[in-house]
Amino acid sequence: MALQEDNLWYKDAVIYQLHVRTFCDSNGDGIGDFVGLTQRLDYLQELGTNTIWLLPFYPSPLRDDGYDIADYTTVHPSYGTLDDFKAFLTAAHNRGLRVIIEMVMNHTSDQHPWFQEARSSRDNPKRDWYVWSDTDTKYNGVRIIFIDTELSNWTWDPVSKSHYWHRFFNHQPDLNFDNPDVFEAMWEIMKFWLDMGVDGFRLDAVPYLVEREGTSCENLPETHAIIKQVRKRLDQFYPGRMLLAEANQWPADVRAYFGDGDEFHTAFHFPLMPRMFMAVKLEDRKPIIEILDQTPPIPDNCQWCIFLRNHDELTLEMVTDIERDYMYDEYATDKTMRINLGIRRRLAPMMENDRRRIELLNGLLMSMPGTPIIYYGDEIGMGDNIYLGDRNGVRTPMQWNGGTNAGFSFADPERLYSPLISNSVYGYQVVNVDSQRRFSHSLLSWMKALIKTRNSYRVFSRGTMEFLRPSNHRVLAYIRELGNEKILVVNNLASSAQAVELDMQKYKGYIPIEMFGRNLFPRFGDLPYLLTLGPYQFYWFRLRRI
């Protein structure tokens, strides 16, 4: 199945996010690699996903799981070779799967040759590739992002006897985009991977590319100018490739990163994610409707990317202090579950392994406007290990079967890059792909059906959304519409059965057809339409005029 030529393919994508080292180890060294990942591509195709987003796989000291890059144009030896990557890319494309990779433009590792040159002397040509100062008082008042580990955005470099700027860990010095050579070097790196055939980039930490005194050093006009330049070159030389923005900001601020359809193609909708969890815990649709009402329209060629969980903490930067306290109280009672301004847990444990809530949240993810992203292992309900450091608790090996090392590796268990989840609820003997493949009512089988249904109707990926506002606030209902495709989605956010009356006057005479069982429900008439829903139940109805 060859890739279809459609420059808006990212609108219809269902993205599967994974880390090469977590997925499948082919050579028994305890670390996942590209050969192993290639062997598992049929699984991703079978699941119904059509795009793979890879976390960083470049050479790195791995002090920030690969986001501290020491060489941008090859593969970390643990994951294989550049030829292994090329073979993986070809195999993915042959299955109709696209591949998005990470582009970390904001900073490098302090082990990168650029930085080693820059610090070697104040006269070095690379000196101006980073942001230096003789004092640590410049850009005063700029917030610290990693509040648990960093005391300042400046770090003293004993080699060149000056301070360098970093928005993240102190071993990740920020690049200086006021120097045009830095931009050109980054573009050359992007060209290297584009020429190889990658389909897009997730640009990490984009709001922080440029610094200016007297500002927050976030979302500056100069940053947007850089992104416009990247996009212009991409469209000119590589049409049909996409850029995904990681900008953890309020919707109105992220809106700017779409420009006039000439900056990013897609961007994460960070504020929506915690509000989906809040809505389920509060049993109230208000958090979801409020944030989507605050979300400005975006250009026609752009798309939001939406997600439930990913490799980072469940970020609570884009909520109020009261909302953050509420989320901590409900989802992170154990302080070990918290990091920075977030919660380091996977989806299933946050939902207390309640299949109904897991299904409801995935139903929301697949039916709301935007491109959904599934984090590896969440489709089978994998657990986490909150006792591993940093955010590694949600980065444990993929659980393929109940055999040795969960089918991830044939290494001695002690050699694995991370311990497996092995408790009695989420352990690999209980939660794994093989056992769920054999059981038609498993979470995996259910997820396949959900994704297949979504992929069958373009209205989900490209249609409009209109909220219905019934008097029962525990029910979230909306209409998705694209041309003749009309779909009614009704979600019960409550832990108890609910009845709801919907005003369907506008669709009088239509018959709702439940999309998973294909059963006809009574026709809409003049009276409010009465539905009853079990705890956390949801319906997708295709509306047909007969």
Side-chain angles (χ1 to χ4, degrees):
M1 175 183 150
L3 290 172
Q4 298 299 306
E5 278 302 315
D6 176 3
N7 284 356
L8 296 177
W9 59 268
Y10 48 87
K11 287 197 166 198
D12 304 314
V14 176
I15 299 174
Y16 191 90
Q17 179 196 358
L18 64 90
H19 198 333
V20 178
R21 77 168 178 176
T22 65
F23 216 58
C24 184
D25 167 23
S26 69
N27 61 1
D29 65 355
I31 301 166
D33 47 49
F34 276 111
V35 173
L37 173 55
T38 307
Q39 291 166 0
R40 297 293 188 177
L41 286 176
D42 288 346
Y43 168 75
L44 299 183
Q45 195 179 12
E46 186 188 304
L47 181 60
T49 53
N50 52 25
T51 305
I52 302 165
W53 158 25
L54 296 178
L55 294 183
F57 52 78
Y58 312 102
S60 160
L62 298 180
R63 292 179 67 190
D64 185 20
D65 212 10
Y67 282 92
D68 47 333
I69 296 172
D71 181 347
Y72 283 90
T73 52
T74 188
V75 172
H76 193 292
S78 296
Y79 309 145
T81 64
L82 208 48
D83 284 340
D84 293 339
F85 175 82
K86 290 175 185 172
F88 151 74
L89 192 61
T90 301
H93 285 165
N94 288 345
R95 288 167 175 76
L97 299 167
R98 285 186 163 87
V99 176
I100 299 168
I101 66 171
E102 290 277 353
M103 185 70 202
V104 183
M105 289 176 71
N106 181 66
H107 50 263
T108 68
S109 164
D110 59 6
Q111 302 304 304
H112 195 291
W114 295 347
F115 187 71
Q116 292 301 319
E117 277 191 56
R119 80 196 302 193
S120 65
S121 96
R122 296 193 176 203
D123 305 321
N124 190 284
K126 290 277 195 301
R127 178 70 176 178
D128 195 34
W129 282 43
Y130 293 86
V131 182
W132 298 93
S133 172
D134 288 329
T135 73
D136 60 0
T137 54
K138 266 181 91 172
Y139 313 134
N140 224 351
V142 171
R143 73 186 175 110
I144 295 166
I145 294 168
F146 286 167
I147 55 171
D148 285 6
T149 48
E150 300 300 324
L151 299 174
S152 169
N153 289 317
W154 291 104
T155 288
W156 173 253
D157 175 38
V159 180
S160 63
K161 300 203 167 25
S162 53
H163 297 86
Y164 61 86
W165 177 255
H166 55 89
R167 286 310 300 273
F168 296 94
F169 289 120
N170 61 45
H171 54 78
Q172 292 167 324
D174 276 27
L175 287 159
N176 176 20
F177 276 91
D178 287 331
N179 181 341
D181 292 346
V182 170
F183 177 85
E184 293 304 331
M186 278 293 156
W187 174 247
E188 286 303 313
I189 290 161
M190 293 175 87
K191 273 174 60 181
F192 175 85
W193 295 105
L194 289 162
D195 288 339
M196 208 174 289
V198 303
D199 299 286
F201 297 101
R202 171 196 180 266
L203 266 57
D204 180 67
V206 285
Y208 318 108
L209 296 184
V210 179
E211 301 75 35
R212 288 292 178 268
E213 199 62 72
T215 72
S216 67
C217 294
E218 296 180 22
N219 308 319
L220 300 183
E222 294 87 343
T223 294
H224 288 286
I226 290 164
I227 302 302
K228 280 185 199 292
Q229 191 59 29
V230 172
R231 174 64 182 272
K232 189 178 172 188
R233 293 188 186 187
L234 196 70
D235 286 352
Q236 188 178 347
F237 300 111
Y238 302 95
R241 315 294 178 92
M242 67 87 98
L243 298 173
L244 166 57
E246 189 216 18
N248 189 356
Q249 309 279 327
W250 291 101
D253 292 326
V254 180
R255 167 62 186 86
Y257 285 94
F258 294 117
D260 297 317
D262 61 352
E263 290 190 36
F264 282 94
H265 303 81
T266 59
F268 295 112
H269 199 314
F270 277 101
L272 173 61
M273 176 269 300
R275 284 169 180 81
M276 289 199 257
F277 291 103
M278 280 172 61
V280 170
K281 195 56 96 165
L282 287 166
E283 304 193 354
D284 195 324
R285 65 179 182 236
K286 186 182 173 189
I288 292 174
I289 290 188
E290 245 178 20
I291 202 69
L292 289 177
D293 279 350
Q294 282 176 39
T295 301
I298 59 176
D300 286 345
N301 62 336
C302 296
Q303 181 92 322
W304 291 107
C305 281
I306 57 178
F307 62 99
L308 296 170
R309 289 301 307 108
N310 61 21
H311 63 295
D312 283 333
E313 67 271 30
L314 189 161
T315 176
L316 299 175
E317 282 186 77
M318 295 302 122
V319 297
T320 65
D321 291 347
I322 293 168
E323 289 169 331
R324 186 178 304 119
D325 289 343
Y326 179 77
M327 286 289 286
Y328 278 150
D329 289 346
E330 295 295 342
Y331 289 118
T333 43
D334 184 334
K335 296 277 197 299
T336 317
M337 297 169 178
R338 306 176 189 182
I339 188 171
N340 298 319
L341 285 179
I343 299 170
R344 52 197 200 99
R345 299 184 72 195
R346 268 191 180 267
L347 178 62
M350 282 186 65
M351 294 300 107
E352 297 167 313
N353 215 24
D354 181 342
R355 173 75 181 268
R356 299 166 308 171
R357 278 187 279 169
I358 294 169
E359 288 186 2
L360 172 64
L361 281 163
N362 278 297
L364 289 171
L365 179 71
M366 292 292 164
S367 63
M368 285 187 159
T371 295
I373 300 171
I374 298 167
Y375 186 49
Y376 85 94
D378 278 356
E379 74 278 13
I380 57 171
M382 268 176 63
D384 51 37
N385 181 351
I386 60 169
Y387 304 105
L388 294 177
D390 193 20
R391 291 158 289 184
N392 296 325
V394 300
R395 302 173 183 179
T396 58
M398 180 65 177
Q399 294 168 196
W400 294 105
N401 60 44
T404 306
N405 296 333
F408 162 74
S409 170
F410 56 83
D412 288 339
E414 296 80 8
R415 281 197 76 182
L416 300 188
Y417 76 89
S418 162
L420 288 153
I421 305 288
S422 53
N423 62 54
S424 57
V425 179
Y426 301 103
Y428 64 89
Q429 301 91 339
V430 188
V431 176
N432 64 68
V433 171
D434 275 8
S435 65
Q436 293 196 20
R437 265 180 172 153
R438 294 161 59 182
F439 174 40
S440 61
H441 291 285
S442 67
L443 180 60
L444 177 62
S445 300
W446 184 88
M447 285 290 287
K448 282 181 192 171
L450 185 76
I451 295 167
K452 185 179 180 185
T453 304
R454 180 199 160 85
N455 286 342
S456 305
Y457 296 90
R458 201 166 245 197
V459 63
F460 286 121
S461 54
R462 304 200 185 197
T464 58
M465 179 191 208
E466 181 193 351
F467 285 116
L468 302 177
R469 301 183 193 243
S471 57
N472 186 344
H473 60 89
R474 290 188 165 88
V475 174
L476 173 70
Y478 39 90
I479 301 276
R480 304 293 317 274
E481 200 162 335
L482 181 72
N484 292 326
E485 281 185 6
K486 295 173 175 57
I487 285 170
L488 167 65
V489 179
V490 189
N491 305 282
N492 177 11
L493 304 172
S495 56
S496 53
Q498 298 292 320
V500 66
E501 290 186 333
L502 301 173
D503 178 2
M504 301 304 294
Q505 271 293 121
K506 187 175 167 187
Y507 300 94
K508 184 182 171 184
Y510 280 82
I511 289 182
I513 302 164
E514 200 279 320
M515 292 170 71
F516 299 104
R518 308 229 170 114
N519 294 314
L520 277 63
F521 272 51
R523 185 191 301 268
F524 299 141
D526 289 315
L527 295 172
Y529 195 72
L530 178 65
L531 277 173
T532 52
L533 299 98
Y536 303 120
Q537 187 182 7
F538 68 88
Y539 283 122
W540 291 2
F541 293 112
R542 187 163 60 85
L543 306 187
R544 195 169 84 200
R545 194 164 213 153
I546 296 177

